[in-house]
Amino acid sequence: MREIALVYLDISGGLQKFVHDCKKYNDSKQSYAVYRFIMSINPSDIAELDATLGNYILHKPIQAAQIFQSVCFVAIKTLSLIEQLQTEAQISVLLKPTHLPPLPSYVLSLSAFPFNYTSQRFYMSEGIAIAMGTVTKYTQGARFLCTEETCPFSEGRFRYIRVHLPGATESATVRNDFVCILCFSPLQEDMKFRVLGDKQIVEMIDAKVLNALKGYSSDKSHFMIQTFTVFLR
């Protein structure tokens, strides 16, 4: 699947964009713990090249991103695109599908039962934004070092990298109870390598509420309108 991912990036123009993004990182004077790459992908085109990879992207996007992560790491090392990069864990790939199959199972409807939205895959959702919070910062990636000075992981290496994953809370990326797997000493964040991004919280409501507001009659004697929260990162 790694070979198919590389072929798709090549024919879709994604590889050229990736090389351009790498050049910006390499030319920057800033030190990064995590190098983030956003890749637009067409699930239909990938499914034609390889059905297994196409299904991975649609139903297991986090695992699929790891495949592209591996491809990016090999490309960077082979072509010497980012001199500062040390480990594959420093690469964060965000897959952005151009579309999803026009099937009911890919539509997130909070008014339909049963919900059964336990899988971490892509869904389409349509609604009305009724409130929006201010844009704030969140940690996309961070580097940690062992606090024991005699430990090999106390300096220099990018051994402990935390990267924010979709659906994770802030504490999954940054908190103070991580320990070294080598000596079990506490880990401390190296603040100069923290990578920040923008996030915004949006309160939304199902588009079907418009029918109720317009006074349309319904056979249901009782109904409830529930808002849901969306995190934009």
Side-chain angles (χ1 to χ4, degrees), residues 79-114:
L79 302 177
S80 301
L81 297 176
I82 302 178
E83 296 179 0
Q84 306 93 324
L85 180 71
Q86 294 184 19
T87 66
E88 185 175 322
Q90 290 180 259
I91 299 176
S92 174
V93 174
L94 178 63
L95 300 180
K96 295 185 67 175
T98 56
H99 67 281
L100 293 178
L103 300 172
S105 59
Y106 291 96
V107 177
L108 177 65
S109 176
L110 297 182
S111 63
F113 289 92

Side-chain angles (χ1 to χ4, degrees), residues 56 64 101 132 199:
Y56 245 64
M132 299 178 67
K199 76 171 181 180

Side-chain angles (χ1 to χ4, degrees), residues 24-65:
K24 290 193 297 183
Y25 277 126
N26 197 48
D27 294 341
S28 175
K29 297 181 180 179
Q30 182 179 349
S31 299
Y32 292 90
V34 176
Y35 299 88
R36 192 166 184 257
F37 300 96
I38 300 176
M39 296 184 174
S40 296
I41 54 175
N42 186 322
S44 300
D45 290 346
I46 294 180
E48 289 184 4
L49 291 173
D50 185 85
T52 302
L53 181 57
N55 284 327
Y56 245 64
I57 291 173
L58 290 174
H59 302 119
K60 297 181 179 180
I62 295 179
Q63 290 88 331

